[in-house]
Amino acid sequence: MPLTAEQAMLQVQDRLRSLKSLVYEIETERKRNEPNIVKAIQLTKASGEDKSPALTHKLKAHYKVGIQDAIQEEALIRQALAKIQDIRNIRNERRIQARNAGNKETIRRGALMKMLQISAQTLPLFVSKVGEKIPPLCGSIPADNNYVAKPGDMVAALVKGVENEENWILAEVVQYLANASKYEVDDIDEEQKDRHILSKRRIVPLPLMRANPETDGQALFPKGTTVMALYPQTTCFYKAVINSQPQTANEEYEVLFEDPTYADGYSPPLFVAQRYVIAIKQNKKVSGSS
């Protein structure tokens, strides 16, 4: 059953209280763990000169305690991130309800570009545990073949323009029409206000999580890979080549867009967030217009 505005507000407030409590717990845990870390660092430095079994045993003991402390701190951080995602989901559900009720808010283009940037920066970060498999729609990992995007999800959609040209645009899922195996999507660009009904092959779901380059680099497109990327300050995807990968969780891809106006056929390097870089559809023409 859809949430009322009051119910949504109460749920968000409940998650915020839990989140505040978890933040305090994380800070308390870090302060409690700090003396052991400092001691381990001191013993590590001393072990360079002192190779005695006693010192080695003591150092190992501090390392074991440090590992357990890190596991506990990681668990608290993951709980906090889950609360943040809950809040995002509740707010998104309310936004979809408002849209379906005909209360869609008009967003100016400048505000839309800022919103898309923030959305990419705050996309949940996946940090795998040891031996954990990277899930679909994390970084460069594609969706499963039977995956169905949910209402409110962002996708790249291949649509026909006024002169019958095909363009990949950024769109939002309205609903999936299971009987016809088609999506109903809205153009994210407020100036277009277009709604399209498209087959699944004309839809590419965008990542739901960022990959952490420091732990899950295999979920990033390698340098030289041909991809589709959202051209900065537009809502269209263009064919591009990865020039360099993100090195940290907060960095973006550096890409070279195909552009015949340049002598080498490519634009100067531009930065695009993980959320807006996806695998190219080899069997389709990739084009776009701003």
Side-chain angles (χ1 to χ4, degrees):
M1 181 179 295
L3 294 174
T4 65
E6 183 179 0
Q7 288 172 329
M9 181 181 67
L10 290 174
Q11 287 194 8
V12 168
Q13 289 176 344
D14 176 67
R15 269 58 167 192
L16 286 172
R17 283 192 293 269
S18 298
L19 180 59
K20 181 179 179 181
S21 177
L22 283 165
V23 169
Y24 279 123
E25 283 190 63
I26 292 167
E27 184 62 23
T28 300
E29 186 72 12
R30 286 181 174 175
K31 288 180 179 178
R32 185 183 70 81
N33 298 342
E34 190 173 347
N36 183 71
I37 295 172
V38 171
K39 189 62 178 177
I41 292 172
Q42 292 173 346
L43 291 174
T44 300
K45 291 179 179 178
S47 66
E49 299 178 359
D50 184 354
K51 304 293 185 182
S52 66
L55 181 61
T56 300
H57 178 75
K58 189 181 292 185
L59 182 57
K60 286 182 178 179
H62 279 283
Y63 279 170
K64 287 180 179 179
V65 171
I67 290 171
Q68 292 304 313
D69 289 344
I71 291 172
Q72 174 64 18
E73 189 175 325
E74 178 192 0
L76 289 171
I77 292 172
R78 289 185 183 275
Q79 289 179 46
L81 291 173
K83 294 296 179 184
I84 293 172
Q85 187 59 29
D86 279 350
I87 293 170
R88 289 171 63 108
N89 291 339
I90 294 167
R91 290 172 63 90
N92 192 48
E93 183 179 341
R94 282 295 302 161
R95 183 182 60 80
I96 293 170
Q97 289 175 12
R99 180 191 65 189
N100 292 341
N103 299 324
K104 185 177 179 181
E105 182 182 1
T106 300
I107 304 173
R108 291 180 177 274
R109 190 168 185 83
L112 174 63
M113 293 300 110
K114 184 65 175 177
M115 183 189 75
L116 294 178
Q117 180 185 15
I118 293 173
S119 175
Q121 292 171 343
T122 59
L123 196 67
L125 177 68
F126 176 78
V127 181
S128 64
K129 299 177 182 179
V130 176
E132 184 178 8
K133 183 180 178 182
I134 301 172
L137 292 178
C138 172
S140 65
I141 307 300
D144 292 334
N145 290 334
N146 60 350
Y147 176 79
V148 175
K150 299 184 294 296
D153 283 355
M154 294 291 184
V155 297
L158 183 62
V159 302
K160 289 186 177 180
V162 291
E163 296 181 0
N164 227 30
E165 80 281 8
E166 292 188 326
N167 305 312
W168 284 100
I169 65 167
L170 181 62
E172 181 181 10
V173 174
V174 176
Q175 64 175 324
Y176 179 67
L177 307 171
N179 292 338
S181 296
K182 292 184 177 182
Y183 282 101
E184 186 176 355
V185 301
D186 279 341
D187 190 332
I188 200 69
D189 190 339
E190 291 288 336
E191 295 177 0
Q192 302 299 323
K193 297 185 182 296
D194 291 331
R195 179 164 289 190
H196 306 272
I197 295 180
L198 304 168
S199 63
K200 286 186 71 173
R201 63 187 175 83
R202 288 178 169 264
I203 296 291
V204 179
L206 266 58
L208 298 177
M209 291 180 286
R210 290 176 292 145
N212 184 5
E214 298 173 75
T215 58
D216 304 297
Q218 65 271 38
L220 295 171
F221 291 107
K223 180 176 180 177
T225 304
T226 301
V227 295
M228 293 196 298
L230 194 71
Y231 197 90
Q233 300 304 308
T234 78
T235 58
C236 288
F237 290 84
Y238 291 81
K239 197 172 182 180
V241 174
I242 300 296
N243 196 45
S244 66
Q245 296 177 320
Q247 298 302 306
T248 68
N250 295 321
E251 290 185 8
E252 301 178 330
Y253 283 103
E254 184 181 273
V255 304
L256 307 174
F257 286 94
E258 285 193 353
D259 191 334
T261 63
Y262 290 91
D264 61 357
Y266 291 95
S267 71
L270 293 170
F271 291 95
V272 181
Q274 282 193 44
R275 187 177 199 189
Y276 306 125
V277 178
I278 55 179
I280 192 169
K281 286 268 191 174
Q282 296 290 355
N283 62 328
K284 288 291 178 183
K285 176 185 175 184
V286 182
S287 60
S289 63
S290 61

